[in-house]
């Protein structure tokens, strides 16, 4: 366990279990969706059909979307223990490795040796990173998750 530094001491972090090779090579735990057709990218938004994404059916679940279908950034989508969905640019602000959710902690953690950990707002809590990770606005609409990756007109 680690603790946040000055002024943020109340927030504990936990290390996600990964072996040394997974850490060295930056192999994340979170998988791509089992049904790749569950999502599209249109007009700057990810449209994800929750009915076709079993990975996100229960709190603690997550999927990673890679840069394809026009998506300009890798994105990690997490179904938080608070029941809400959260989306992150899936690129650690230290050296760009992918992130994974930390079970029971409302946090995501870099899969590399540096183990940078961030809260669901993207704020850095611990690890090698010096800054936050980008988060995206998320909303539910008729069984679909809409992730605002690019602001309109951007
Ligand atoms: S790339 Fe994430 S801690 Fe180094």
């Amino acid at each position: 366990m680690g603790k946040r530094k000055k002024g943020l001491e109340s927030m504990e972090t936990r290390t996600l279990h990964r072996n040394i090779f997974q850490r060295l090579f930056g192999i994340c735990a979170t998988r791509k969706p089992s049904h790749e057709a569950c999502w599209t990218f249109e007009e700057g938004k990810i449209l994800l059909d929750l009915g076709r994404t079993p990975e996100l059916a229960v709190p603690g679940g997550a999927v990673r979307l890679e840069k394809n279908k026009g998506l300009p950034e890798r994105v990690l989508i997490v179904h938080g223990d608070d029941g809400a969905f959260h989306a992150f640019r899936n690129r650690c602000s230290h050296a760009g490795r992918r992130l994974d959710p930390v079970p029971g902690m409302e946090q995501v953690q870099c899969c590399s040796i540096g183990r940078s950990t961030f809260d669901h707002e993207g704020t850095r809590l611990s690890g090698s990173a010096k800054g936050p990770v980008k988060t995206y606005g998320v909303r539910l609409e008729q069984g679909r998750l809409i992730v605002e990756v690019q602001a309109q007109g951007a």
Side-chain angles (χ1 to χ4, degrees), residues 36-128:
E36 189 62 23
C38 70
W39 69 282
T40 58
F41 182 68
E42 298 168 25
E43 298 176 355
K45 300 179 186 65
I46 296 168
L47 309 176
L48 185 142
D49 182 350
L50 287 171
R52 299 171 76 187
T53 316
E55 295 87 352
L56 291 173
V58 294
V63 289
R64 63 181 165 94
L65 307 182
E66 298 297 316
K67 288 201 290 187
N68 61 32
K69 304 183 186 184
L71 183 63
E73 300 285 355
R74 302 187 307 238
V75 174
L76 174 71
I77 301 174
V78 174
H79 189 169
D81 290 328
D82 59 357
F85 292 93
H86 306 273
F88 306 83
R89 182 185 189 204
N90 198 3
R91 188 176 170 79
C92 176
S93 54
H94 176 231
R97 297 288 199 184
R98 290 176 175 80
L99 307 168
D100 290 310
V102 184
M105 293 300 285
E106 300 293 323
Q107 294 166 5
V108 294
Q109 186 170 86
C110 176
C111 63
S112 81
I113 291 283
R115 295 175 300 192
S116 293
T117 304
F118 307 87
D119 67 17
H120 280 177
E121 282 70 52
T123 305
R124 177 200 170 275
L125 302 175
S126 64
S128 304

Side-chain angles (χ1 to χ4, degrees), residues 6 16 124:
K6 271 188 204 162
L16 187 66
R124 177 200 170 275

